[in-house]
Amino acid sequence: MCECCPVSSRLSVGVNVSLAKGKQSSGGIVGLSLSSQPGPHPHLPCSLIMSSAGSDAGDGGLGAPQTKTPGEKASGPVSADGSGWTRASCPCCAGGPVEPLVLLQLRAGLPRETKDWVITLIATAVKQGGAGLSAHPGEEPSGDIIVVSAPRCTLLRAAEELGLCKPYRTGDMTAFSYHDRSNFRDADDVQVFLTLAERQYIVKYELEGLRAQRDLKIPGLPEGRLLQRRDNIWQKLKAVGVVQGMFPLNDEDKLKALSDCWYSGNQLTQPLDKIHAYFGGTVAFYFSFLEFYTWSLLPPAILGLILTVFSGSVNKEAMDSISDSKVAAGDDDDDQTVSGHMIQAVFSMLWSTVVIEMWKRRSTLLAYRWGTMQLAERFSEPRPAYHGALGVNPVTGRVEPLFPAWQRELRMALVSVPAVGLFLGLVVMGMLGFYWGEAQAQSLHAEWDSLLSSVVLYLPSVAHIVYTNALGTAYRQVALALTEFENHREESAYNDHLTGKILVFTFFNYFAVLFHIAFYKQDLPLLRKRLASLLIITQLVNQVTEVVIPFLVDRFLSAPKRKEKKEDPQEDKFRNQSSLPDFPGLFSEYIELLVQFGYFSLFSCVYPLTAVLLLVNNLTEIRSDAYKMCKLFKKPFSAPVAGMGVWQTAFEVLSFVSVISNCWLLLLSPRLQELGQESGVTGTNVVLVAVLMEHLLIMIKMVLAKLIPDEPDWIRVKREQNEFISMQALGQQKQ
């Protein structure tokens, strides 16, 4: 371990007290050291010496570097040989090849001294308040980009802070410890030890965690643009327009290899490990669930086809749902006590439970394999956009912005809840409009009775689907603004509240009409036709808006502007990547899967072909989503995650609700009502039987959930072993 890589505050397995980015050590808050005398600072690399407080505006701010910086001479092209890059702040990381990881886009025409100051901030050692990274100013020192890399020590320390598990010398996945790094496999080669996505996320993590340790003036900007003590530096640089954007750089060779084995070939499975290594855990867990859920639809799809082909009543209803013709029902079901709808209802209820429980096991296996099963629960730094009056956190003792919880709750009660209620009211208005349009279309068809009027029958459904999709898109933007206004401290709290708002609206927006048709109007033929329209039209609309339009825009508008040759400078290739649109995230993808899951688990008993249509859609969805990730958008940052998070809870809730929905839909089925009339059972007794059946199926679901453990025994043993090792390490450090 080199002397300039301070690790005294970095505890071993499971315990971390970071000095970086203004976090508190036993010696107090450590920040950018600003000498009161000009001259070299003893802890800074000689190429990155900070000026004295009085050398700039006299406000104690960081001035432009006094000695040579990377921007004072033409640095040459961006390359991996180390030329033109700032030197690492520790000797063990100096020299050797440098891997470009992240591109920062600066404001055009930014003053040279401001860019130099940003580069210095990036490259300054963590203990002095910098990010501890490496930076390259590009071919033009005064240009509008900065390319960022990360030295080995910074990457390894951040891996410990994030709580990543890596292969130990015994082969087991163990929480990484910087002190014990020599016992971890391949720890001396970070390009093998950490995935590309992890290395790029660590760069973002370090940059977004920078906080000013005193009031600072940003060189080259107007006097009013000050950094106040404990301000998030990166958030401030974005707010004043110094930094326009930041995105991880693609490795074209790795991306090409991934594309060939992902969506370009004829593979039936996805290369999940390669997806995780390149795009990160968030993306990998989504595609893993998409694949798992898609193949889980195969059994209900086969059952739906069998019921449709061999059940006369089901076949007739399926034909009626897609045409206005009246197909004569066969006599196949006349003497059957158990109809195809009953079989489909019971199967879908049990299927939803088994699928969710098996996914939990698969998710745990993937989290162990990808080293995220034991992501540490630590008192993290506030998220970059969090703001408030400066104070001392009563839990951690750190100086940071504080925002009273009662103010946040007041904002949610007086602003967020009414806004969400307003959009739910718009959903109700759309539902009423759908019913009005449906009545008008039926009246017109009764009057005309023509092919044209048959087509008109579907116009209310199409118009309502377009309305709900547009309303959902608008609501997501409003939900983002509302959650930002609530000012949550932790990133996890922000994501949970945002996702909660989206889920409430999604459930109401997509399922309110179906529930109203089923349980208020009790019109099963209309429910069946509506469900068929949703399954066919919504999927076509999604494919066009999510794939076809972006492909055409990229093919005919964007791609011609960024044509590149193999011999083009690396910087030009990086700039071509910046012309791609930002990745919109996975919210809409998860919502689409959640709605699909709801359609099948809640209502498939009235339309058994639901699983068939979903299976066909998802087989194309896997490849189209993969194509979008690789070709149509900038590569996104992806934080290490241990699963789908709150989305998994949403699927579990729908699985539970499916029991209630299917039991009451069966109660409305004509066959069951006929049986009740033939046997002389009163309506009250039928309801009691339905309630009893509902409770029985809920008990069966609970038993199945208990019988299928969330994690295999061997993973549970490994997890408990890691917890024991962490406890032992903590005990040794206290001695």
Side-chain angles (χ1 to χ4, degrees):
M1 181 179 65
C2 58
E3 296 180 355
C4 59
C5 294
V7 294
S8 59
S9 66
R10 309 259 182 172
L11 306 182
S12 62
V13 179
V15 184
N16 292 279
V17 182
S18 175
L19 292 173
K21 304 178 287 295
K23 299 175 185 174
Q24 193 173 26
S25 70
S26 58
I29 294 177
V30 181
L32 277 171
S33 180
L34 302 176
S35 173
S36 59
Q37 300 296 329
H41 190 284
H43 299 294
L44 293 178
C46 52
S47 66
L48 296 169
I49 297 173
M50 315 302 295
S51 68
S52 68
S55 65
D56 188 57
D59 62 352
L62 282 173
Q66 288 183 323
T67 61
K68 279 188 176 182
T69 68
E72 291 188 338
K73 57 185 178 62
S75 56
V78 180
S79 62
D81 61 6
S83 59
W85 292 85
T86 56
R87 292 182 302 191
S89 56
C90 59
C92 67
C93 298
V98 181
E99 178 188 27
L101 293 173
V102 173
L103 182 73
L104 306 182
Q105 296 172 285
L106 307 179
R107 185 182 71 208
L110 190 71
R112 167 80 171 276
E113 57 182 327
T114 307
K115 181 177 179 180
D116 289 345
W117 183 86
V118 172
I119 291 176
T120 302
L121 179 69
I122 293 170
T124 299
V126 169
K127 190 164 185 176
Q128 279 72 53
L133 304 170
S134 299
H136 193 293
E139 291 188 26
E140 294 295 331
S142 58
D144 59 354
I145 67 166
I146 298 175
V147 186
V148 184
S149 182
R152 173 176 172 270
C153 287
T154 299
L155 291 171
L156 294 182
R157 288 203 182 90
E160 183 183 29
E161 277 190 51
L162 294 172
L164 297 179
C165 293
K166 293 295 175 181
Y168 203 61
R169 66 169 184 264
T170 59
D172 296 332
M173 298 296 288
T174 305
F176 176 69
S177 169
Y178 184 85
H179 281 294
D180 195 28
R181 62 191 181 278
S182 60
N183 287 317
F184 283 82
R185 293 181 179 178
D186 300 313
D188 55 340
D189 186 354
V190 291
Q191 294 197 23
V192 175
F193 188 68
L194 297 172
T195 67
L196 176 62
E198 288 170 344
R199 299 195 298 274
Q200 291 174 327
Y201 177 77
I202 286 172
V203 171
K204 177 177 182 285
Y205 171 78
E206 295 292 341
L207 292 176
E208 290 188 343
L210 291 168
R211 288 191 177 271
Q213 302 308 298
R214 58 186 301 173
D215 292 349
L216 303 172
K217 178 184 179 299
I218 303 176
L221 297 187
E223 293 293 330
R225 305 295 176 86
L226 292 176
L227 280 165
Q228 297 181 344
R229 183 169 179 252
R230 293 301 294 168
D231 272 353
N232 185 282
I233 297 176
W234 210 248
Q235 192 72 14
K236 187 71 172 183
L237 292 176
K238 291 170 65 177
V240 300
V242 173
V243 176
Q244 299 288 324
M246 172 173 63
F247 64 91
L249 292 167
N250 277 317
D251 183 313
E252 296 300 332
D253 293 335
K254 291 182 179 178
L255 183 60
K256 178 66 167 58
L258 176 60
S259 301
D260 290 342
C261 64
W262 192 3
Y263 66 86
S264 297
N266 297 316
Q267 298 84 358
L268 294 178
T269 59
Q270 300 180 92
L272 293 177
D273 289 333
K274 293 181 180 180
I275 296 171
H276 173 263
Y278 193 84
F279 285 108
T282 306
V283 175
F285 269 106
Y286 164 73
F287 278 99
S288 176
F289 179 74
L290 175 59
E291 179 183 73
F292 178 84
Y293 166 64
T294 298
W295 291 115
S296 298
L297 287 169
L298 188 58
I302 295 174
L303 176 63
L305 285 173
I306 292 174
L307 292 177
T308 303
V309 172
F310 294 103
S311 173
S313 61
V314 174
N315 183 275
K316 171 186 177 297
E317 292 164 355
M319 295 300 296
D320 287 347
S321 67
I322 59 175
S323 69
D324 193 49
S325 60
K326 302 298 182 182
V327 181
D331 297 330
D332 306 67
D333 299 340
D334 289 348
D335 299 326
Q336 294 180 3
T337 303
V338 179
S339 68
H341 297 303
M342 296 178 186
I343 296 173
Q344 180 68 41
V346 174
F347 180 86
S348 64
M349 286 183 279
L350 299 179
W351 173 88
S352 62
T353 300
V354 172
V355 165
I356 293 301
E357 295 303 319
M358 294 303 295
W359 165 251
K360 289 180 182 178
R361 288 177 63 86
R362 179 174 173 80
S363 178
T364 304
L365 285 167
L366 292 175
Y368 178 82
R369 193 163 84 198
W370 294 337
T372 57
M373 188 178 67
Q374 291 183 268
L375 292 177
E377 296 290 339
R378 297 183 172 88
F379 296 102
S380 58
E381 282 280 298
R383 64 189 190 89
Y386 177 71
H387 60 274
L390 201 63
V392 178
N393 188 310
V395 178
T396 64
R398 291 195 293 254
V399 177
E400 64 181 43
L402 300 179
F403 188 77
W406 67 267
Q407 288 190 26
R408 182 179 302 110
E409 293 170 359
L410 191 65
R411 290 184 176 187
M412 287 190 286
L414 298 183
V415 180
S416 297
V417 172
V420 173
L422 174 63
F423 272 86
L424 295 183
L426 293 175
V427 172
V428 174
M429 289 180 60
M431 183 173 63
L432 295 176
F434 163 70
Y435 289 141
W436 178 85
E438 185 76 17
Q440 297 299 315
Q442 291 286 355
S443 174
L444 190 65
H445 180 61
E447 180 181 347
W448 291 1
D449 193 20
S450 63
L451 179 61
L452 179 60
S453 63
S454 299
V455 175
V456 171
L457 285 174
Y458 287 91
L459 289 182
S461 292
V462 174
H464 188 252
I465 291 170
V466 173
Y467 175 81
T468 55
N469 286 340
L471 194 62
T473 301
Y475 177 79
R476 281 193 285 276
Q477 299 304 315
V478 172
L480 284 168
L482 290 174
T483 311
E484 196 67 55
F485 176 69
E486 292 166 4
N487 195 29
H488 296 279
R489 181 185 182 276
E490 293 85 15
E491 195 71 37
S492 59
Y494 174 88
N495 290 330
D496 288 347
H497 280 81
L498 175 61
T499 306
K501 292 183 184 69
I502 298 293
L503 289 178
V504 169
F505 177 80
T506 297
F507 188 86
F508 205 80
N509 191 33
Y510 287 95
F511 300 129
V513 171
L514 296 176
F515 276 109
H516 188 269
I517 295 173
F519 302 117
Y520 181 76
K521 301 186 71 173
Q522 298 185 7
D523 188 344
L524 294 187
L526 178 59
L527 176 64
R528 193 173 297 113
K529 186 178 73 172
R530 173 68 176 172
L531 188 59
S533 300
L534 285 169
L535 290 170
I536 296 171
I537 298 172
T538 301
Q539 292 174 13
L540 289 176
V541 170
N542 286 339
Q543 292 291 338
V544 170
T545 57
E546 294 180 9
V547 180
V548 176
I549 293 177
F551 170 77
L552 294 177
V553 171
D554 178 73
R555 178 69 176 82
F556 296 105
L557 297 180
S558 302
K561 298 178 181 179
R562 61 171 189 269
K563 286 184 178 179
E564 61 184 44
K565 300 177 181 178
K566 190 173 182 179
E567 60 272 13
D568 287 345
Q570 192 66 44
E571 183 174 329
D572 291 347
K573 296 179 180 179
F574 292 162
R575 289 183 182 277
N576 285 339
Q577 294 182 35
S578 68
S579 66
L580 291 169
D582 292 329
F583 181 65
L586 294 170
F587 253 94
S588 60
E589 312 301 334
Y590 272 120
I591 286 174
E592 183 180 349
L593 292 182
L594 186 70
V595 171
Q596 282 188 15
F597 188 83
Y599 288 158
F600 177 75
S601 61
L602 299 175
F603 305 108
S604 65
C605 68
V606 301
Y607 193 65
L609 288 178
T610 299
V612 178
L613 296 176
L614 294 180
L615 178 62
V616 173
N617 175 80
N618 287 0
L619 288 174
T620 61
E621 184 84 9
I622 292 175
R623 292 180 180 270
S624 62
D625 283 354
Y627 175 79
K628 287 192 301 183
M629 290 293 306
C630 295
K631 293 292 185 182
L632 301 185
F633 298 103
K634 291 187 184 118
K635 183 182 179 183
F637 287 104
S638 182
V641 293
M644 298 191 330
V646 71
W647 292 105
Q648 182 170 297
T649 305
F651 281 93
E652 291 184 75
V653 170
L654 278 183
S655 175
F656 182 83
V657 175
S658 70
V659 176
I660 304 171
S661 173
N662 281 281
C663 283
W664 291 101
L665 284 174
L666 284 179
L667 186 63
L668 299 175
S669 66
R671 181 58 181 160
L672 201 59
Q673 291 178 356
E674 289 175 7
L675 288 174
Q677 292 174 359
E678 292 172 0
S679 59
V681 179
T682 64
T684 302
N685 289 335
V686 171
V687 171
L688 290 176
V689 170
V691 172
L692 180 63
M693 182 64 67
E694 172 191 290
H695 283 67
L696 178 63
L697 287 169
I698 289 176
M699 289 180 61
I700 293 175
K701 286 175 71 72
M702 294 174 65
V703 171
L704 284 174
K706 192 67 177 177
L707 291 177
I708 306 175
D710 292 350
E711 59 181 13
D713 287 339
W714 68 272
I715 287 187
R716 178 184 55 79
V717 171
K718 296 293 184 184
R719 175 174 53 78
E720 292 175 353
Q721 286 178 346
N722 280 343
E723 292 173 356
F724 178 72
I725 293 172
S726 298
M727 187 172 61
Q728 281 189 320
L730 181 61
Q732 292 174 359
Q733 291 177 358
K734 288 183 176 180
Q735 293 176 356

